Amino acid sequence: MMLRKKYSDNELLEAVYSRDSKLIKYIMQLVWSQVRELVTSNSGTNDDAMQIVQEAFVAIYSKKEKPVLVSTFSTYFVSICKNLWYHELRRRKVRPVYQTLHDEIPDLDNEIKEKELFEQRRQLYLKYYKKIQKVCQDVLRLMAMGFTNEHITTELAFSSVAYTRNRKSMCNKKLLEMIKADPQYNALKYGL
């Protein structure tokens, strides 16, 4: 199903950073069929596809600087998903069936370097994300997906929105402290 384009590419990118749940749902509708096709035709399941979409939102949100789009937002988003999925396949030691996504961004030198840097930053983030408490993982995951404090409070059965805000702040602070203490942090902070 093709969605009629309602928003500019920059509005969609901004929605990820501002965690606009309405636009994040729109982005999901926009990219879901392409990402699901990519993942399921390369040894994955619908659940794997959903996980990759969630990781892509986190990956974009985690970038220190907003990217300058050289393609449509959906192409940019799907290319991140593609890289995340192929990395996951390498981790699982499954050989991907290479397919060309229509509308794919050409691989330029600086783009390849940026992807490598992005992947190393993502690995550093995930390394410590996996070490924090499960409740913090849940809070940060829902936060990255664009859920409001009220929704997170309901979803995780917290006592109040104030507690949720406090918890988010504490979890973010703890995760950042762990990442900044890693010897790799300074090299990745400014690029390779």
Side-chain angles (χ1 to χ4, degrees), residues 81-119:
C81 291
K82 179 182 176 188
N83 288 335
L84 291 170
W85 183 242
Y86 287 167
H87 176 76
E88 178 63 21
L89 289 177
R90 281 192 298 277
R91 196 183 64 73
R92 295 181 185 181
K93 301 200 180 348
V94 175
R95 190 176 185 97
V97 177
Y98 288 98
Q99 66 179 37
T100 305
L101 292 171
H102 64 83
D103 215 16
E104 193 171 30
I105 305 171
D107 275 336
L108 306 170
D109 272 354
N110 62 345
E111 206 172 321
I112 292 169
K113 286 177 188 161
E114 187 177 319
K115 286 177 182 175
E116 288 172 1
L117 178 61
F118 162 78
E119 183 54 35

Side-chain angles (χ1 to χ4, degrees), residues 113-128:
K113 286 177 188 161
E114 187 177 319
K115 286 177 182 175
E116 288 172 1
L117 178 61
F118 162 78
E119 183 54 35
Q120 289 181 13
R121 285 176 176 164
R122 179 180 159 274
Q123 288 302 318
L124 182 64
Y125 175 86
L126 289 175
K127 175 181 174 181
Y128 292 104

Side-chain angles (χ1 to χ4, degrees), residues 51-65:
Q51 181 66 36
I52 290 298
V53 167
Q54 291 173 1
E55 285 184 29
F57 278 115
V58 171
I60 293 170
Y61 180 77
S62 301
K63 275 186 174 278
K64 190 154 185 74
E65 292 179 21

Side-chain angles (χ1 to χ4, degrees), residues 1-191:
M1 170 187 88
M2 278 301 288
L3 279 180
R4 190 172 56 79
K5 191 165 179 180
K6 298 180 192 175
Y7 305 98
S8 74
D9 294 319
N10 283 326
E11 283 176 315
L12 296 177
L13 181 60
E14 190 56 46
V16 176
Y17 282 92
S18 65
R19 300 184 192 127
D20 181 326
S21 56
K22 179 183 158 204
L23 284 184
I24 286 176
K25 286 175 186 160
Y26 173 81
I27 292 168
M28 286 288 295
Q29 292 174 324
L30 190 66
V31 300
W32 175 246
S33 61
Q34 272 187 285
V35 175
R36 185 181 61 206
E37 173 64 26
L38 167 74
V39 171
T40 57
S41 65
N42 286 289
S43 310
T45 65
N46 281 349
D47 285 346
D48 290 328
M50 183 55 73
Q51 181 66 36
I52 290 298
V53 167
Q54 291 173 1
E55 285 184 29
F57 278 115
V58 171
I60 293 170
Y61 180 77
S62 301
K63 275 186 174 278
K64 190 154 185 74
E65 292 179 21
K66 287 183 189 163
V68 175
L69 294 176
V70 293
S71 64
T72 65
F73 176 81
S74 60
T75 300
Y76 171 70
F77 192 94
V78 171
S79 70
I80 289 174
C81 291
K82 179 182 176 188
N83 288 335
L84 291 170
W85 183 242
Y86 287 167
H87 176 76
E88 178 63 21
L89 289 177
R90 281 192 298 277
R91 196 183 64 73
R92 295 181 185 181
K93 301 200 180 348
V94 175
R95 190 176 185 97
V97 177
Y98 288 98
Q99 66 179 37
T100 305
L101 292 171
H102 64 83
D103 215 16
E104 193 171 30
I105 305 171
D107 275 336
L108 306 170
D109 272 354
N110 62 345
E111 206 172 321
I112 292 169
K113 286 177 188 161
E114 187 177 319
K115 286 177 182 175
E116 288 172 1
L117 178 61
F118 162 78
E119 183 54 35
Q120 289 181 13
R121 285 176 176 164
R122 179 180 159 274
Q123 288 302 318
L124 182 64
Y125 175 86
L126 289 175
K127 175 181 174 181
Y128 292 104
Y129 175 80
K130 290 173 184 173
K131 290 182 180 182
I132 61 176
Q133 297 174 330
K134 174 78 171 83
V135 70
C136 279
Q137 290 179 7
D138 292 341
V139 167
L140 294 177
R141 180 177 50 81
L142 291 172
M143 190 174 91
M145 289 172 66
F147 288 97
T148 63
N149 287 333
E150 291 77 11
H151 192 117
I152 294 171
T153 302
T154 306
E155 188 77 20
L156 299 180
F158 287 159
S159 58
S160 68
V161 173
Y163 176 81
T164 301
R165 273 195 292 272
N166 220 7
R167 193 71 191 202
K168 265 172 47 176
S169 176
M170 187 187 76
C171 292
N172 248 336
K173 184 179 176 190
K174 178 67 178 161
L175 181 60
L176 281 173
E177 283 172 0
M178 292 167 74
I179 290 171
K180 286 179 177 180
D182 190 285
Q184 262 194 304
Y185 173 75
N186 281 333
L188 296 179
K189 180 178 176 184
Y190 299 110

